[in-house]
Amino acid sequence: MPDLKVLIINPPVRFDDKPRNLPHGLAILANIIRNKMNITPQFLDINAFRYSPERLSEILKTSDFNVVLIGGIASAYRQIVELSRLVKEIVPQAMIIAGGYVVMPVPTLLLQNSAVDIVCTGEGELTIVELLDRLSIQGFNADISDIAGVCYKPRTGAPFHCTGPRRLIDDLDATSAMPAYDLLPMDVYLSNPVVGIGRDIDMVTIRGCPYQCSFCYQPWGRVPRSYSIDTIAGTIHTLRREYRVDFISFQDDEFMVDETRVKEFCERRNRLFPEVLWSCTGRSNIIARNPDIVKLMKQSGCTLISCGFESGSPRMLESMHKMQRIDQMEATVKILRAQELPVPASFIIGMPGEDEASCQETLDFCLRNNLPLESLMFATPYPGTEIFDFALKTGRVDKDHIHEFMMELGDARKFVVNLTDSFSDEGLVATRTEMMAIARKNYEKFISQNEIMDKMKKLFGPLLERVRLDETDLAHRAKHGGMSTF
């Protein structure tokens, strides 16, 4: 039976930006494999180092592996297709297992169009241990038809086979793990802040979201499941001790979904690591009903709460199923500014039903509330979302050419497909550009760069004094809602 030698590959994403976000899913699996199977995987982080094709081939040729794990977000699809082909060219007998958002909504697509052998269709912690254990005992021709949560190519040449879904993990503390930070190039990530400043690292502490926005794919269920505050505090303690982390960027779908948990985290932070600053995701309907929690968060080192406003049009908000109102959004702006916090809000243009009137409502909302529109995304029908189904039904995405569509997917700032009836492609792109320019000009009248810098100094204190503000990092923050959008 084969002696398993596992190589984990993190594919490159967002080539127009620095590598900032840790490969959480892959790094969690690395820890699981090491702890439960006594196998220490090799970790090839292409996103961190952006290797040339020649250098990548050289690394693969000199690496000793027979199992490859690979995965990522939807825009990593092309890279996974190309990487799987390269792996098979160099090590034809290697078993390639893929997972993550890139495969979950359309699990057989990669099997049909790449050299990937198996895809995980859900959470991977239990699945990967069962898979690797079976392969180690029975070899690469093992029968895996009884392992829940996979689709695979039988080595016999039979058609693709998908097993039933795996139940979501109830207790993340007991079943999952934090990322294997020691296997990652932490110096790279800590040199490229996510949304904070200094040695900033991102964390994901919740799976599942109770909201049902039409542009969002949510594979983790509608009941949020979270790591305990004990686990989170222990992880931050490790990050402080081992990597001198200054800042934590919580990248959960909705960090503020459980206000009791938020309060518990604030208390623990103040008591155990009061020098750590942090940011998180929030929501206008949550903030508007409880301004006091924002005050508590600010007092416990929170420097940013990122909200998806998405539109200034009530009609568009309703069509997106946002479950928030314009008055809640405006209240959120006031509450954040009252605490002298930034107002990093993202917006979307080009949803089904968007027209000139709704775009004007969004622009008017920003002008009325003195907000820039740096973070104005194109509506992008990622697989698994309601608007992807809309794109298929209306022929905007050809159901027979989803592979070709996926090969072109990228960041939502890249125009991919027009979901509106009111705009031409060129007209939609031009409208976005014009809206951003008008909002930016208005915002610059509202606050000067000197005032912004004074507010940042007050917010970040001594940390800002010892950290150089890189222009690329500042531009990144602006695009993603704006650490300096006061």
Side-chain angles (χ1 to χ4, degrees), residues 1 32 86 198 200 324 326 345 369 423:
M1 296 300 102
I32 295 284
L86 180 61
D200 171 18
Q324 68 182 20
I326 299 296
N369 292 281
F423 292 100

Side-chain angles (χ1 to χ4, degrees), residues 89-125:
E89 286 179 1
I90 294 171
V91 185
Q93 72 276 15
M95 177 72 75
I96 304 178
I97 304 170
Y101 177 23
V102 69
V103 302
M104 291 170 69
V106 280
T108 61
L109 198 66
L110 264 179
L111 295 178
Q112 294 168 337
N113 295 283
S114 76
V116 169
D117 298 292
I118 303 171
V119 299
C120 293
T121 59
E123 292 173 306
E125 286 91 339

